Amino acid sequence: MTAPINNKASILFADDNVELADVLQLIFEREGYQVYSARTGREATEILEAYKVDLIISDILMPDMDGYQLCRHCQLDARWKFIPFIFYSGNYTTEEDKSFALSLGSARFIIKPEDPDVLLQIVEDLLRDFTGGDRQPEQEAAYLRHYNVRLVKQLEKKLIESEQNIQQLRDEKEAQKKLQSALKKSNNQLQHLLLTSPAVIYTCQADGQYAPTFISNNIKKLLGYDAQEFIDDPNFVKEHIHPDDREKVDNRFSRVYLSGQYELKYRFLCKSGDYRWVQDGLRLVRNAEGEATEIVGYLLDINEQIQSKVAWRHTLKRLSLYFDQTPMGIIEWTPDFELKTWNPAAAKIFGFRKNELTESTRARLVIPEAVKTQVEAAGQDLIAGKLGDRSHSVHLTKNGQQVYCDWYHSALTDQEGHLAGVVSLVEDVTDQHAAESSRKHQEAKYRTLFESSTDAIVTLDLQSSRITDCNSAAVKIFGCESRSDLMARSPADFAPPL
């Protein structure tokens, strides 16, 4: 790791090629840039944590954390997602590699070697004009699938390169020495790819027996077993598949022969005794003559994803039960305030059958002409955000009877904050309304009797002994000027003297 030398724009180089990194650092420092150098993706994240970085240039094939993983890490962190990211690779060079790199949010994909002046110009342009960083990262499962496709392709490429190198070196004088060097280099690269991958890579024979020939050591981290256990026992996989999944797992090889590739999900018994969900992806490899030579596959841990889906389905089921069984009416409206769906309780309030929701039902919900204009205006105010979340209105049931309802409204918005609909809770308060009307009628009747009586009527607060009300006859009988005059006095004022 190197420290900055001045106060210009700062650039982070992530590349395990020390010679190339040193040359690039010298070139950019001569142009006045601050330069940080990292040999691994992990070291690059440490620099990002410690220093302000204006642009990142990264190789792809690096130990500990490769360039793809570094770019993904930056895109997922709000602090770094707006930093321009350039891939500078000499190993991942295909159009598919470039497409995947750009899909991760990188600003440029450059194949090594590139003229230093061209590289300097690209950096200058990006620092001046870059407006990216707002791309939404792929879901984790999609990212891992695309990442592992690139990984397997690179693995196949390295295998082919190794075979070509071996063939070319066999007839040379120092064939053995060069062969060992090439094998060691290829093996180191392969081990790096396998150790840094979140997926388990495996190969099988394509002769009908499908015996495993290789499985990466990170299988132990995933399932708890050593790789050799899979290779030594041909029935090891079959015996550890969940009984409900064995049939589809047994058919996976015939499927891959038909289509060339196949993916499936199943539960595998871990060494801990628990079943874990995995995604198994297989691809049939053929030689130049079209003969099947081997099957290459990968295993991904998807246990948390499956558990999340199960929990989500359980939540939806509970919400559905609440929707169907709650005594409170629930109605969903369109943004134009047209009825979209309702629960059985809402249908019952308006006198309909449980599943009756027709165009006539929508049109009839179900407003007396006398208040129709008022209710429609209230609906428009709710959509415009001018109305509170509670209202009261009168409706008609299916058989034409009036029903008084209390409504509780809540706006539904999409991810951009636009109105997507309205959900309402509705309660039938017809009985309460009738009781309230009766109470008011009785109150009015009592008040009439109270005021028209020729006898003096006075009400007292027993705790304070204060007069709280009186009628006109009381004012006259006690010789007061007005009702307020009487109520301002104490009952003792009217007691006869002892």
Side-chain angles (χ1 to χ4, degrees):
M1 185 186 301
T2 60
I5 61 172
N6 57 42
N7 294 319
K8 282 202 66 174
S10 58
I11 298 175
L12 169 59
F13 287 116
D15 199 321
D16 59 343
N17 186 328
V18 178
E19 293 80 8
L20 176 61
D22 289 343
V23 170
L24 289 176
Q25 179 172 343
L26 179 62
I27 292 171
F28 277 81
E29 284 181 346
R30 285 178 177 174
E31 294 298 318
Y33 291 97
Q34 293 181 345
V35 178
Y36 305 96
S37 291
R39 299 294 175 254
T40 69
R42 189 70 60 193
E43 188 176 338
T45 63
E46 295 173 358
I47 292 175
L48 287 167
E49 291 283 356
Y51 300 101
K52 179 182 178 297
V53 173
D54 299 307
L55 183 139
I56 301 170
I57 301 176
S58 176
D59 190 16
I60 295 177
L61 186 61
M62 294 184 295
D64 195 17
M65 175 191 285
D66 65 23
Y68 285 147
Q69 293 170 314
L70 175 60
C71 185
R72 170 80 172 175
H73 189 72
C74 290
Q75 285 296 307
L76 292 174
D77 195 312
R79 298 172 296 173
W80 308 327
K81 66 180 297 185
F82 293 99
I83 299 176
F85 195 107
I86 299 175
F87 278 111
Y88 191 40
S89 174
N91 289 294
Y92 289 76
T93 58
T94 67
E95 283 299 314
E96 291 81 4
D97 294 331
K98 177 180 179 180
S99 177
F100 179 55
L102 295 176
S103 76
L104 292 177
S106 66
R108 296 288 188 277
F109 184 89
I110 304 172
I111 297 176
K112 296 177 181 178
E114 181 58 274
D115 185 275
D117 290 335
V118 174
L119 195 57
L120 284 165
Q121 187 62 50
I122 291 172
V123 168
E124 181 181 342
D125 292 343
L126 280 176
L127 289 171
R128 183 183 64 247
D129 302 325
F130 181 71
T131 59
D134 54 353
R135 177 193 296 270
Q136 289 295 324
E138 279 187 318
Q139 295 294 323
E140 186 69 12
Y143 159 72
L144 289 174
R145 184 167 61 253
H146 295 150
Y147 175 83
N148 282 290
V149 168
R150 303 270 45 86
L151 195 66
V152 171
K153 289 285 187 182
Q154 189 69 11
L155 178 64
E156 293 175 350
K157 176 182 176 182
K158 292 301 179 183
L159 287 170
I160 292 172
E161 289 177 355
S162 295
E163 292 175 358
Q164 292 173 343
N165 290 336
I166 292 170
Q167 187 64 37
Q168 292 172 358
L169 292 172
R170 278 177 178 164
D171 297 330
E172 298 180 4
K173 282 186 178 182
E174 298 182 1
Q176 188 63 33
K177 181 179 178 181
K178 293 182 179 180
L179 179 61
Q180 291 176 351
S181 176
L183 286 173
K184 182 178 180 180
K185 181 179 179 180
S186 294
N187 183 63
N188 289 338
Q189 291 175 333
L190 291 176
Q191 288 300 319
H192 163 72
L193 290 171
L194 295 175
L195 288 173
T196 58
S197 170
V200 174
I201 306 299
Y202 68 87
T203 59
C204 299
Q205 294 177 358
D207 58 359
Q209 298 299 319
Y210 310 117
T213 55
F214 169 81
I215 187 163
S216 56
N217 288 327
N218 54 347
I219 188 69
K220 188 165 187 176
K221 182 178 180 181
L222 176 61
L223 300 175
Y225 303 105
D226 292 325
Q228 198 61 38
E229 295 181 71
F230 290 80
I231 296 175
D232 292 343
D233 184 357
N235 295 316
F236 189 85
V237 171
K238 184 175 183 178
E239 292 171 352
H240 289 77
I241 300 296
H242 192 284
D244 294 342
D245 299 331
R246 283 176 185 168
E247 183 176 354
K248 66 179 179 181
V249 174
D250 289 343
N251 293 332
R252 71 191 189 281
F253 291 114
S254 58
R255 294 291 188 92
V256 78
Y257 263 90
L258 289 174
S259 61
Q261 57 186 17
Y262 184 60
E263 285 187 357
L264 71 161
K265 301 171 184 177
Y266 53 85
R267 288 158 288 184
F268 198 97
L269 182 62
C270 299
K271 197 164 189 176
S272 62
D274 300 321
Y275 280 99
R276 178 168 290 273
W277 279 96
V278 296
Q279 178 174 307
D280 192 351
L282 305 89
R283 195 164 71 84
L284 184 64
V285 179
R286 298 182 182 274
N287 59 20
E289 289 73 33
E291 300 170 335
T293 58
E294 68 175 347
I295 295 172
V296 178
Y298 68 86
L299 294 175
L300 277 177
D301 182 359
I302 59 169
N303 201 60
E304 289 187 4
Q305 299 173 32
I306 296 295
Q307 289 179 343
S308 296
K309 289 181 179 179
V310 171
W312 175 244
R313 285 195 294 266
H314 179 67
T315 300
L316 289 180
K317 184 176 180 181
R318 292 180 61 189
L319 289 175
S320 178
L321 288 174
Y322 172 78
F323 183 82
D324 288 337
Q325 298 179 11
T326 179
M328 179 73 79
I330 302 175
I331 299 179
E332 183 181 355
W333 312 84
T334 68
D336 296 325
F337 222 79
E338 295 180 357
L339 192 150
K340 183 177 180 182
T341 186
W342 57 9
N343 70 342
K348 183 179 179 181
I349 289 174
F350 299 104
F352 292 91
R353 295 191 303 271
K354 177 181 177 181
N355 297 320
E356 186 176 7
L357 183 61
T358 64
E359 289 300 324
S360 63
T361 315
R362 300 171 196 267
R364 291 187 59 204
L365 198 121
V366 180
I367 303 169
E369 290 296 329
V371 296
K372 187 173 183 179
T373 302
Q374 175 186 350
V375 172
E376 289 178 348
Q380 293 302 317
D381 285 343
L382 176 64
I383 293 173
K386 300 177 182 178
L387 194 66
D389 60 356
R390 181 173 180 176
S391 61
H392 180 82
S393 56
V394 183
H395 298 267
L396 295 177
T397 64
K398 184 179 180 181
N399 60 15
Q401 293 181 337
Q402 281 193 346
V403 58
Y404 293 82
C405 296
D406 276 347
W407 296 86
Y408 307 84
H409 307 289
S410 180
L412 303 176
T413 56
D414 58 22
Q415 293 181 343
E416 286 73 35
H418 301 140
L419 184 70
V422 175
V423 64
S424 300
L425 301 181
V426 57
E427 182 180 9
D428 181 358
V429 294
T430 303
D431 291 342
Q432 295 93 313
H433 182 271
E436 180 66 14
S437 297
S438 176
R439 184 188 66 78
K440 289 180 179 179
H441 176 73
Q442 293 298 326
E443 251 186 23
K445 185 177 179 180
Y446 163 77
R447 176 55 64 179
T448 300
L449 292 173
F450 183 83
E451 291 294 342
S452 61
S453 176
T454 58
D455 294 325
I457 302 175
V458 177
T459 61
L460 299 176
D461 184 333
L462 295 179
Q463 291 184 342
S464 64
S465 297
R466 296 184 62 84
I467 299 173
T468 59
D469 201 0
C470 63
N471 64 354
S472 299
V475 174
K476 182 177 180 180
I477 290 171
F478 289 112
C480 296
E481 296 181 359
S482 64
R483 179 176 297 180
S484 59
D485 180 25
L486 175 57
M487 292 174 61
R489 300 188 184 188
S490 168
D493 295 340
F494 304 103
L498 296 178

